[in-house]
Amino acid sequence: MKVWKSLLIALMIFANLAFAQPSFADRPKFSKNPDYIEITKALNELSQTKDAQTQVQGLTPEEIQKRTEELTLQKYALETGINWGKCENQTGNTIAVYGKRPNDEDNEDAVYDNGLYFLANGQSTKDNWDCDGIYLPNDIKVANFTSSPNGQGEELTGPVALKILDGTQLVIKTNPDSGAIELNVPTVKVLNSNKANWFIPDISQAIIDTRVPNAPTKKS
């Protein structure tokens, strides 16, 4: 009799594991994602600006509308579970990008939160590999840069790390006239070693051009 009871209990446990939805399998709430919180705040600010028919300094109504559309799609990407970004290099040179190293989350000896990879011209990082941002060398500048969707564009010079939001496809180009870098997204965070545990060296573009490209790409 005891044997039958034991078998019955074992079958009940197996059925529970097979058919019941475990609580630990719940998807993380996107509403707690820092990028999602920032995008929502920016969209609310832009909406208030449009409703009040006031003009943000340095931004035309067309630019405000464009940023609203871009942020709306970025918000949707996070709501549908996209938690990675992509970087595409159209600068004519090798660039440095940031991303997680394999098994870094389980590696207690990791010095930095993100690794520095090198992306060749004409390449883009592979799908589902999270490109967190790019490195800006000490002799390269970004034209019309803004770290806020409501901010006025200004010139930014390295060395700094530029972090992109999840769900973003960042395209990096070089202006043929000024030689400055141009970015296609409205919201990029500027990080330094005081704000994030990222490797941010003080080096030039010429040094980056000597590196062997090793970023995970569609071709690799």
Side-chain angles (χ1 to χ4, degrees):
M1 191 67 177
K2 292 182 179 180
V3 174
W4 284 107
K5 286 184 177 180
S6 299
L7 288 174
L8 181 60
I9 293 173
L11 286 172
M12 291 176 63
I13 294 174
F14 175 78
N16 184 63
L17 292 175
F19 299 106
Q21 182 177 3
S23 59
F24 56 78
D26 292 343
R27 292 176 58 186
K29 294 183 179 298
F30 58 80
S31 59
K32 296 182 180 180
N33 186 316
D35 289 346
Y36 185 82
I37 295 172
E38 181 174 343
I39 290 175
T40 302
K41 179 181 177 181
L43 281 171
N44 290 337
E45 293 175 354
L46 289 173
S47 177
Q48 292 172 5
T49 299
K50 292 173 64 178
D51 292 342
Q53 295 184 347
T54 57
Q55 184 174 356
V56 180
Q57 183 180 7
L59 293 179
T60 65
E62 291 76 15
E63 289 172 331
I64 293 177
Q65 178 62 30
K66 180 181 179 182
R67 294 187 181 196
T68 300
E69 293 171 356
E70 290 172 334
L71 290 172
T72 298
L73 289 180
Q74 289 179 3
K75 181 181 178 182
Y76 174 76
L78 294 177
E79 290 173 341
T80 53
I82 298 178
N83 58 358
W84 52 275
K86 177 182 287 189
C87 296
E88 181 177 341
N89 180 11
Q90 297 182 12
T91 64
N93 300 97
T94 298
I95 64 172
V97 301
Y98 290 97
K100 293 288 188 297
R101 294 188 181 277
N103 301 322
D104 256 4
E105 295 180 355
D106 301 326
N107 187 359
E108 296 180 355
D109 296 328
V111 178
Y112 299 101
D113 294 336
N114 264 336
L116 197 63
Y117 294 81
F118 300 98
L119 184 66
N121 177 55
Q123 290 188 338
S124 60
T125 54
K126 66 187 298 185
D127 293 348
N128 296 310
W129 184 81
D130 188 13
C131 180
D132 280 326
I134 65 170
Y135 167 75
L136 189 66
N138 58 24
D139 56 349
I140 299 295
K141 59 186 179 181
V142 177
N144 198 30
F145 172 83
T146 173
S147 60
S148 166
N150 298 340
Q152 184 177 7
E154 58 185 15
E155 185 176 282
L156 175 70
T157 304
V160 295
L162 303 180
K163 182 182 184 301
I164 63 174
L165 300 175
D166 287 341
T168 297
Q169 178 166 320
L170 176 66
V171 180
I172 310 101
K173 297 182 179 181
T174 300
N175 186 298
D177 298 323
S178 65
I181 295 296
E182 295 179 344
L183 310 176
N184 69 318
V185 296
T187 304
V188 179
K189 295 180 183 178
V190 179
L191 301 179
N192 55 42
S193 56
N194 296 325
K195 294 182 178 180
N197 186 29
W198 292 18
F199 180 53
I200 309 175
D202 188 3
I203 59 177
S204 66
Q205 177 61 46
I207 295 297
I208 293 179
D209 286 335
T210 66
R211 302 296 93 184
V212 175
N214 64 344
T217 65
K218 291 182 177 180
K219 297 179 181 179
S220 62

